[in-house]
Every structure is written in structure tokens, then in C-alpha cells.
Amino acid sequence: MGFRRDELLAHENAVVDDLVDDRCRLLFVGINPSLWTAATGAHFARPGNRFYPALFRGGLVDRVIDASSGMSPTDREVLLGAGIGITNIVARATARADELDDDELRAGARRLEETVRAVGPRVVAVAGITAYRTGFGRRKAATGEQPEDLAGARLWVVPNPSGLNAHETVDTLARHYREAGVAAGLHVHPRRYGGA
């Protein structure tokens, strides 16, 4: 499945619903939806995004999910049943994350706190260090577990799975995601990558 540029641009500023239910123990937080995500209604859906392969390699799900054409009910249940939820710092879709300004990221961080309070996950994993630093005012933050919590949940910053984040691989993403999953108490399958 593919989209023409005008079809994608028709979804600019659209909002994609959170993927959460009352089983959520690990809430992944993207920066904001891509136009592809808005067009399909599925988070991290753009072809080449490494989120779902990294979840599989890290043992958080038992198969690779392909959301590029949308999220099937079966794949949705794989995520939710594993205790995984997905939301974003900023709800509106853009062609690029750098189209968001600092005020939007700060407002999104406040909204995220409300979401976390309502959903009640054990761990929140923000996928993107630069957006986290800006939105939460933590200019020196590094990836990994943060010293503060977020509305009672342990807070992690993990690398963004976008293909634009070229210095991360599926395996390095998998290691970060697995650490957050273990901290959240998720059932983890055997790792599917080499190394610790």
C-alpha cells in the first residue's frame, strides 16, 4: 500500500487515537504522528520505521507487526495483550517532527502527564531524546531511566525508531525497549538479537 503526496498532505494536523486499554503497563510515547500514521490510523506505521521490528527483537511481542496499511484487530490485540500502549507527546500529524515548536512540545508534555494519570502504566517510555529534553525542560537528559517519575510511572527515554535516527539499529532499539519492558514487568520472550 502506498500514498500519493497529496493523499498524505490531506492528513496534516489530523489526530490519531491513542492505542491503550486498562492492561497497559508500558506506554510508549512517540513525538507526534507522521502523515502516514494519520492516513492509516496506526502508530509508527511508516514503512521503514523500526518500532515493531525492535519490539519483536527485544522479545516484547512474539511476532513482527506490519502497521504500514493500518493496524489489524489481531495485531492490536498482540500489543494490548502484551501490556503495551502507544500515545504521542503532540497529537497532531505533521510531515516532519521538526515542524513542531517548543511551545507545542511543552504543552504536549503536560497533556502526556494527564494521559499517564488516566491510563496508569508502570513505565512510560518516551521515544525521542530531543523532544523529551524540550518538552520536559530537561536539557541534559540522557537515554535510559530518568531520576523523576511521571504521574507515578517510572520514566524512561528511549531512542526514536524513525529511519532518520540513523545511528540506532533495530538491535540497539530492541535493547532499550526490552529494558523498559522488563522494568514494566512485561512477559518477555527470548531475545532475537546478539549480545546482552
Side-chain angles (χ1 to χ4, degrees):
M1 176 180 185
F3 296 101
R4 295 187 321 265
R5 180 171 168 71
D6 63 311
E7 290 174 324
L8 289 174
L9 289 173
H11 294 280
E12 199 163 23
N13 299 317
V15 173
V16 177
D17 292 336
D18 293 343
L19 178 70
V20 293
D21 70 11
D22 59 4
R23 296 173 286 178
C24 181
R25 289 179 284 160
L26 172 58
L27 182 63
F28 279 99
V29 183
I31 299 168
N32 75 308
S34 70
L35 297 181
W36 196 288
T37 285
T40 61
H43 295 273
F44 299 109
R46 185 166 188 77
N49 191 296
R50 298 164 302 170
F51 180 73
Y52 298 110
L55 287 184
F56 172 71
R57 290 240 189 122
L60 298 182
V61 294
D62 61 2
R63 63 192 171 112
V64 177
I65 291 168
D66 178 3
S68 62
S69 298
M71 182 73 64
S72 74
T74 301
D75 288 342
R76 181 180 170 85
E77 183 54 31
V78 165
L79 290 169
L80 294 172
I84 296 169
I86 306 172
T87 188
N88 289 287
I89 295 175
V90 174
R92 76 178 183 95
T94 60
R96 298 179 324 275
D98 64 7
E99 294 177 43
L100 305 174
D101 65 27
D102 292 0
D103 289 339
E104 277 186 286
L105 291 169
R106 285 190 287 269
R110 290 188 297 273
R111 183 193 71 80
L112 177 60
E113 189 169 354
E114 295 168 12
T115 298
V116 171
R117 199 168 280 116
V119 173
R122 293 180 187 168
V123 172
V124 173
V126 177
I129 187 67
T130 303
Y132 173 77
R133 287 173 176 161
T134 301
F136 289 84
R138 306 277 191 242
R139 297 289 179 189
K140 297 184 187 250
T143 56
E145 187 168 11
Q146 302 304 298
E148 64 279 342
D149 70 13
L150 182 64
R154 292 172 69 182
L155 179 59
W156 290 66
V157 176
V158 296
N160 191 292
S162 166
L164 297 174
N165 189 6
H167 63 277
E168 296 290 347
T169 67
V170 171
D171 285 343
T172 62
L173 294 167
R175 287 183 188 104
H176 285 281
Y177 298 176
R178 182 181 181 90
E179 287 175 1
V182 168
L186 299 189
H187 169 77
V188 290
H189 304 274
R191 288 185 298 241
R192 294 166 176 92
Y193 59 86

